[in-house]
Amino acid sequence: MTMADTKDERARAWWAAWWEADYSWAGLARKPVGENGRRVHGGLHGERTLQDYWRRDPETGAVRDDASMRAAGELVDCDGVPFHIVHLPPATKAGAPTWKADLGDSGWEKCEALIAARVAAGAETAVDSWADAHVPDGRAQLAGAVLRSAAAHPQGKQSPQHLEVSLTAWLGGVDYRETLFGPGARFHSATFSGDARFDSATFSGSARFESARFSGDAWFQSATFSEDARFESATFSGDAGFESASFSGYAGFESSTFSGYVWFGSATFWGDASFASATLSGNVSFHSAAFWGAAVFDRATISGQAAFQSAMFSGYARFEGAKFTGDVGFQSATFSGVALFQSATFLADAWFHWAAFAGYAGFDRCVFRSVADFTGAARTPRREGSEQVLEFAPATAEGGFAGALKMPAGLEPIARAGFQRCSFERAIFHDTANFSNRAFTALARFDSAEFRGVPIFHDAVIGQGVRLHLAKFDLPWRTADAWADAQIADARKAHREMVTEAKAKNEDPPKAELPSRQSLLDARFAELELAFRTLKLAMENIRDRDREQTFYRYELICRRRQSTTFWGERLFSQGYGLIANYGGSLFRPIATLAILTVLFGLGYWAWAAALQDRALVLWGPGGVQNDAWDALLFSANNVFRPFNAWGAEADQSAWLKALLAARTGEEGVVHGGGWRLAIRLVATLQSLFAIVLAFLFALAVRRRFQIS
């Protein structure tokens, strides 16, 4: 059956499949009873087909012919085709209504009396996991029936109902609350047009609801599924409630569709549970649910808010390729086994704070579009020799939930505080990634991860096993301007929506209170500065000098970008970054020193020429003029022999003596003591620059080669 997009389209598709299956009186003769593969076990009284089943009177055992059944009013025509009244549809193929379209029609009383007799005559049947009979089938054969409401057992709800209701339609509300269903209750491809109530119902065998369609609300609160519960490809158009339900076997919801709110709060899954490829359009709650087996949500799509707070995952939990459109909360959840979220997409906030990860946690290739909060409960370092495995109390003898979470003494705070082993390879954090108070005490991989928001690791314990190869932490400050523009655009959009809403209500529009761009940038860079300082100190603790210097550089850049920082500090920081890349470059200080040596040499040469009233001629018949070489030599002397300009002049050339004496020629006019002082001060400034650049080069060498 093709899954349509709307409730009406789904209803039309279901009825098209029902007509194609052909539950006319002639069609019933082609539908075997007790079919299991190629073998047909038949019914308890030798019935081979559904037509045989409905010919037999369950009270007298008489097998009736068509004329007798017409005389009894059980066979009627629909578009000239005979139908048993139990299978009569509410409308013809052309859409003309039958009496079943009116739920108050008196014909329903006779129909439901026939159904009650069949339910009362139903007998327990040995079935396989697919609810196919191993022996002659004694269940009430209501497949393809068109009913008004739930068929009550004449002896009360505690008398088990043994039903085969595949492709059956309920046109009104269904009340099966506290009903006991025998083994092999099969509702495959059934449709419930109204609300379906199965609260506190007990399914003593497997419950088969594959491809069932619930047009109204479906309630299974406190229901007990003693064996497998199969809801694969089921469609829930209204709300679906499974709160406090107990699933003893496999719980299958693969490819199911939930359009309304979904509640699985405090539900207990004793076996494996699968919601793979399920579509959940409304809010979803698994609050305090207990998964004792595997929990699989691969490729599931949850469009509303998803609540997994305090949920317990005893086996492995898989959310690979899942997509969360709304906020998702795993606060205080417990993952005792492997937790796999590879390639999952979180379009809104993702909350994992205080979640306990006792096993491996995989978040490779995850995309976090909004806040990702992995805050730990406390900073508790791992103790050597402690086994990082959670133990859970087994089920009680009665099959109840023992409930206690058992773990070795002192292990719970470790599990809630840190990741024992985790991987965030190639994960992308578009907004704040908060790992405060988390302990990364074993292998933790962040290789090629991208932090486009603020990376917060305050009070985190980062051990030697943390890998950050090719991880990108520089994107937040590089894209800060675009971030601020986006924040202002969002604020303007929100204000326009508020104005539109106010006008629609004939109210005064609110005043625009938009944040200034600079205030946004200052707050952003202040937060980044603190975050990078924390990472710098963490890298210092594990002696990772390269990354320590990298985060130190990011810290200074973010401090410089704040308008509240003193302008002089910002100026020196800009120069520090330009000349030495904040202590991270070996090449820049040496290159800067060489360039300054040449520039100062040219300056001295031009200065001397000006004092001597000579033209600036660098290149002569013999090549570079000697005065130029003397000027370059003087500049280099100030680099390698700092403050030499204040020393004796005995070994100086005639050109240099004239420059330092500030005279024209060797016997010319002296220009005054001020010039002599100025020349020496400039030379001293050059020596200071040289010392600073040499220090920056040495500092870069020390950091690069980790020289103590």
Side-chain angles (χ1 to χ4, degrees):
M1 186 183 301
T2 303
M3 185 63 66
D5 294 333
T6 67
K7 184 186 296 187
D8 291 339
E9 290 174 343
R10 291 168 185 162
R12 286 193 294 269
W14 189 92
W15 281 107
W18 185 90
W19 279 105
E20 185 178 355
D22 188 9
Y23 283 94
S24 66
W25 184 243
L28 296 183
R30 295 186 292 271
K31 298 193 179 304
V33 173
E35 183 179 18
N36 191 331
R38 295 184 178 180
R39 187 171 182 179
V40 177
H41 295 286
L44 286 179
H45 303 283
E47 306 95 333
R48 305 301 293 175
T49 67
L50 282 180
Q51 191 183 89
D52 295 339
Y53 176 80
W54 286 100
R55 283 186 184 278
R56 183 181 180 278
D57 188 315
E59 295 178 350
T60 65
V63 178
R64 300 160 296 169
D65 58 16
D66 290 2
S68 299
M69 296 187 69
R70 278 191 179 276
E74 293 190 36
L75 283 185
V76 295
D77 288 339
C78 179
D79 279 345
V81 178
F83 275 82
H84 192 282
I85 61 170
V86 169
H87 297 92
L88 180 69
T92 65
K93 274 190 175 182
T98 68
W99 63 263
K100 278 193 174 180
D102 181 6
L103 296 184
D105 193 280
S106 59
W108 281 108
E109 296 179 5
K110 180 177 180 58
C111 183
E112 290 173 349
L114 294 173
I115 296 296
R118 301 287 175 173
V119 171
E124 183 172 336
T125 302
V127 296
D128 59 18
S129 60
W130 296 98
D132 291 329
H134 284 307
V135 295
D137 198 341
R139 292 173 291 182
Q141 302 295 318
L142 305 180
V146 179
L147 310 178
R148 177 172 61 171
S149 59
H153 198 291
Q155 298 178 10
K157 290 188 174 182
Q158 293 310 308
S159 296
Q161 294 198 27
H162 306 284
L163 302 179
E164 165 59 272
V165 285
S166 298
L167 211 64
T168 297
W170 280 270
L171 303 181
V174 174
D175 188 355
Y176 278 113
R177 285 178 288 186
E178 300 180 357
T179 298
L180 175 62
F181 293 95
R186 181 154 56 186
F187 293 80
H188 189 284
S189 298
T191 185
F192 299 86
S193 299
D195 292 345
R197 302 302 300 262
F198 288 86
D199 312 67
S200 301
T202 299
F203 296 85
S204 57
S206 60
R208 314 291 306 200
F209 285 86
E210 299 98 328
S211 300
R213 187 178 70 92
F214 298 88
S215 296
D217 296 338
W219 303 104
F220 289 82
Q221 285 100 327
S222 302
T224 300
F225 298 88
S226 300
E227 295 182 13
D228 293 349
R230 310 302 295 256
F231 287 84
E232 290 92 338
S233 300
T235 302
F236 298 85
S237 298
D239 297 339
F242 289 83
E243 289 177 298
S244 302
S246 177
F247 299 86
S248 296
Y250 177 76
F253 290 85
E254 295 97 328
S255 302
S256 55
T257 300
F258 297 86
S259 299
Y261 285 11
V262 181
W263 288 276
F264 280 88
S266 300
T268 303
F269 299 87
W270 297 101
D272 296 342
S274 178
F275 290 81
S277 300
T279 300
L280 303 99
S281 301
N283 293 340
V284 178
S285 176
F286 285 86
H287 193 289
S288 300
F291 296 87
W292 294 93
V296 179
F297 288 81
D298 295 345
R299 301 174 304 282
T301 300
I302 302 179
S303 300
Q305 296 181 352
F308 289 85
Q309 291 93 332
S310 301
M312 184 182 69
F313 299 88
S314 180
Y316 66 80
R318 254 186 19 215
F319 291 81
E320 297 183 13
K323 183 178 180 180
F324 300 91
T325 302
D327 294 345
V328 55
F330 286 89
Q331 299 95 320
S332 300
T334 300
F335 298 88
S336 65
V338 175
L340 300 177
F341 288 82
Q342 280 93 336
S343 301
T345 301
F346 300 87
L347 299 182
D349 295 347
W351 303 95
F352 288 86
H353 59 265
W354 287 36
F357 294 93
Y360 175 78
F363 290 85
D364 301 330
R365 300 178 301 280
C366 279
V367 176
F368 297 91
R369 287 284 179 181
S370 190
V371 174
D373 192 326
F374 289 87
T375 304
R379 193 177 72 175
T380 306
R382 180 185 177 189
R383 297 177 301 173
E384 292 298 326
S386 62
E387 193 66 27
Q388 306 298 300
V389 177
L390 295 179
E391 297 178 356
F392 297 90
T396 62
E398 296 78 12
F401 174 57
L405 172 63
K406 294 184 178 180
M407 57 185 70
L411 182 56
E412 181 176 5
I414 295 176
R416 295 208 178 276
F419 291 100
Q420 313 314 309
R421 289 178 300 120
C422 67
S423 178
F424 288 84
E425 288 191 43
R426 296 190 295 280
I428 300 177
F429 299 90
H430 287 267
D431 207 327
T432 300
N434 193 344
F435 291 91
S436 298
N437 288 326
R438 280 288 177 185
F440 299 89
T441 52
L443 181 63
R445 294 193 294 264
F446 287 87
D447 301 331
S448 300
E450 293 185 12
F451 292 87
R452 300 180 182 181
V454 181
I456 301 177
F457 287 80
H458 302 321
D459 291 321
V461 176
I462 297 180
Q464 295 287 348
V466 176
R467 292 171 45 178
L468 300 173
H469 181 62
L470 297 180
K472 296 181 179 180
F473 289 88
D474 59 337
L475 296 174
W477 62 264
R478 293 185 186 278
T479 60
D481 293 309
W483 173 86
D485 293 338
Q487 295 295 310
I488 294 175
D490 289 344
R492 287 173 177 167
K493 179 181 178 181
H495 179 257
R496 286 195 299 269
E497 293 176 352
M498 293 171 63
V499 170
T500 302
E501 183 178 355
K503 288 181 178 179
K505 297 179 179 179
N506 294 321
E507 298 177 353
D508 293 333
K511 295 182 179 180
E513 296 181 357
L514 301 178
S516 69
R517 189 172 188 275
Q518 190 58 55
S519 64
L520 287 173
L521 288 174
D522 285 344
R524 181 74 162 181
F525 282 116
E527 192 175 8
L528 286 170
E529 178 191 1
L530 183 58
F532 289 134
R533 182 182 304 135
T534 299
L535 286 168
K536 176 194 70 175
L537 295 175
M539 295 302 103
E540 180 183 0
N541 289 336
I542 62 174
R543 303 297 187 267
D544 189 337
R545 301 303 183 189
D546 286 343
R547 291 192 175 88
E548 176 192 350
Q549 198 282 329
T550 297
F551 290 125
Y552 174 61
R553 175 161 58 93
Y554 295 167
E555 177 191 354
L556 293 183
I557 291 174
C558 292
R559 180 171 178 79
R560 171 172 57 84
R561 290 292 304 273
Q562 299 172 52
S563 63
T564 55
T565 303
F566 177 59
W567 69 268
E569 180 182 346
R570 282 188 279 136
L571 180 63
F572 275 101
S573 179
Q574 183 76 39
Y576 186 25
L578 180 65
I579 294 173
N581 197 23
Y582 295 98
S585 175
L586 294 172
F587 172 76
R588 289 189 190 182
I590 294 300
T592 303
L593 184 60
I595 293 173
L596 288 180
T597 300
V598 173
L599 292 178
F600 270 97
L602 291 174
Y604 296 138
W605 172 68
W607 199 344
L611 289 176
Q612 299 174 11
D613 293 327
R614 293 190 304 175
L616 291 174
V617 180
L618 179 64
W619 191 271
V624 177
Q625 296 297 311
N626 289 334
D627 289 354
W629 286 116
D630 289 339
L632 182 61
L633 180 62
F634 177 61
S635 178
N637 215 19
N638 291 330
V639 171
F640 295 101
R641 298 171 63 185
F643 312 116
N644 188 56
W646 298 95
E649 302 177 9
D651 59 344
Q652 297 171 351
S653 65
W655 172 88
L656 186 55
K657 288 181 180 180
L659 174 64
L660 295 178
R663 70 175 67 239
T664 300
E666 295 212 9
E667 302 295 337
V669 179
V670 177
H671 289 277
W675 284 108
R676 292 194 296 272
L677 178 61
I679 293 171
R680 284 168 172 79
L681 289 177
V682 171
T684 300
L685 180 63
Q686 182 188 3
S687 296
L688 291 174
F689 280 149
I691 291 173
V692 171
L693 292 172
F695 172 77
L696 293 178
F697 172 75
L699 181 63
V701 170
R702 176 180 178 273
R703 285 176 171 168
R704 176 66 58 84
F705 300 104
Q706 299 184 12
I707 301 174
S708 299

